[in-house]
Amino acid sequence: MIEPLVSEDDWLVALQGAVRWIPPDKKTLVISPHPDDETLGVGGLIARQQQGGIPVSVVAVTDGEAAYPNSKGLAEIRQLEQEQAVKALGVERAIVRLRLPDSAVSKHESDLTDLLKQLITAEMLVLAPWVSDWHPDHEACARAAQHVCEEVGAEIMFYLFWTWHRRTRDVFDGVNVRWFELNASLQAVKHNALNCHRSQLQHDSCAPILPEVLLAPARRSFEIFISHV
């Protein structure tokens, strides 16, 4: 298992200059490269929108079938886990599944862009992975989402997860960092949703994708977003 390059304590120091952000009361669309990204990155915000009566849609770009090698039926397992997680967050709408290949989204970026054009409208708040979030699937989703949002005039904010483990503090140099506060209720809802992604939290034959040492950012009392303006 690879340890995070920067400790959680050091990240908390680095984030002290972030500006507080209150999400707008807009129909919200969350772009999730893999089942679990929606919970890890924006689970608290999803719950906040739903509790406020604001509709949220989740777009599953892949089914996460490549998380472990030679794992038969993993796509079906992760689909079910994601459905349980978003329901725990309060989302009753069906997940929109694009079924692009896990770990190869960048090879299908133009297809992803075309698919997102059918889903994103000007009045939406779009939450997408950040272009510097280390994972190539996340980065491809970021580029496609930003392209479509700029084209239609939708508001976009970027979220992150692998940044906390594979990047160093200078990744935020010159970047507009925002934080969204999670009260105790939102933290609890997010925690329950995260537990739905059981295949990523434990594994019989190898180290899990999400050992506890990597979950500190998902346990925070706030979520971090990047504004491109």
Side-chain angles (χ1 to χ4, degrees), residues 147-195:
H147 176 84
V148 175
C149 287
E150 290 177 348
E151 186 174 281
V152 306
E155 180 177 357
I156 185 169
M157 292 289 279
F158 301 103
Y159 67 90
L160 40 151
F161 180 72
W162 290 110
T163 296
W164 307 120
H165 311 304
R166 302 294 182 258
R167 300 289 190 191
T168 53
R169 290 169 51 167
D170 59 0
V171 74
F172 290 144
D173 289 351
V175 172
N176 297 316
V177 183
R178 305 286 185 259
W179 65 276
F180 165 60
E181 183 178 7
L182 305 182
N183 60 29
S185 173
L186 293 178
Q187 291 177 62
V189 170
K190 182 174 181 177
H191 176 78
N192 290 337
L194 181 56
N195 285 338

Side-chain angles (χ1 to χ4, degrees), residues 33-34 102-103 130-140 162 167:
H34 314 98
D102 185 7
S103 299
W130 190 32
V131 73
S132 296
D133 203 28
W134 186 78
H135 195 298
D137 285 353
H138 289 218
E139 294 165 359
W162 290 110
R167 300 289 190 191

Side-chain angles (χ1 to χ4, degrees), residues 3 7-8 13 27 80 108 122 141 147 150 178 183 209:
E3 294 287 334
S7 71
E8 176 66 1
V13 172
K27 182 178 179 181
L80 178 58
H108 300 267
C141 288
H147 176 84
E150 290 177 348
R178 305 286 185 259
N183 60 29
I209 297 296

Side-chain angles (χ1 to χ4, degrees), residues 66-88:
Y68 300 103
N70 304 316
S71 186
K72 293 183 179 180
L74 185 58
E76 292 75 16
I77 291 170
R78 298 197 70 189
Q79 288 173 40
L80 178 58
E81 291 175 346
Q82 188 176 38
E83 290 165 5
Q84 293 170 339
V86 299
K87 186 174 182 179

Side-chain angles (χ1 to χ4, degrees), residues 8-177:
E8 176 66 1
D9 287 344
D10 284 344
W11 278 124
L12 294 178
V13 172
L15 292 171
Q16 288 179 356
V19 177
R20 186 176 185 181
W21 177 61
I22 299 176
D25 294 341
K26 290 182 178 182
K27 182 178 179 181
T28 301
L29 185 141
V30 179
I31 299 172
S32 182
H34 314 98
D36 72 13
D37 288 317
E38 78 295 324
T39 304
L40 292 165
V42 295
L45 190 148
I46 291 173
R48 181 264 189 189
Q49 300 293 75
Q50 286 293 136
Q51 290 176 9
I54 301 164
V56 177
S57 298
V58 175
V59 178
V61 178
T62 79
D63 292 331
E65 67 276 7
Y68 300 103
N70 304 316
S71 186
K72 293 183 179 180
L74 185 58
E76 292 75 16
I77 291 170
R78 298 197 70 189
Q79 288 173 40
L80 178 58
E81 291 175 346
Q82 188 176 38
E83 290 165 5
Q84 293 170 339
V86 299
K87 186 174 182 179
L89 295 172
V91 179
E92 298 292 343
R93 299 161 64 91
I95 296 170
V96 179
R97 297 201 176 278
L98 303 186
R99 304 194 188 282
L100 295 182
D102 185 7
S103 299
V105 176
S106 60
K107 296 179 181 178
H108 300 267
E109 195 168 324
S110 61
D111 295 329
L112 174 59
T113 301
D114 290 341
L115 290 166
L116 291 179
K117 287 179 180 178
Q118 302 173 37
L119 300 171
I120 296 173
T121 58
E123 69 274 10
M124 286 181 172
L125 168 65
V126 176
L127 304 175
W130 190 32
V131 73
S132 296
D133 203 28
W134 186 78
H135 195 298
D137 285 353
H138 289 218
E139 294 165 359
C141 288
R143 291 188 296 266
Q146 183 166 353
H147 176 84
V148 175
C149 287
E150 290 177 348
E151 186 174 281
V152 306
E155 180 177 357
I156 185 169
M157 292 289 279
F158 301 103
Y159 67 90
L160 40 151
F161 180 72
W162 290 110
T163 296
W164 307 120
H165 311 304
R166 302 294 182 258
R167 300 289 190 191
T168 53
R169 290 169 51 167
D170 59 0
V171 74
F172 290 144
D173 289 351
V175 172
N176 297 316
V177 183

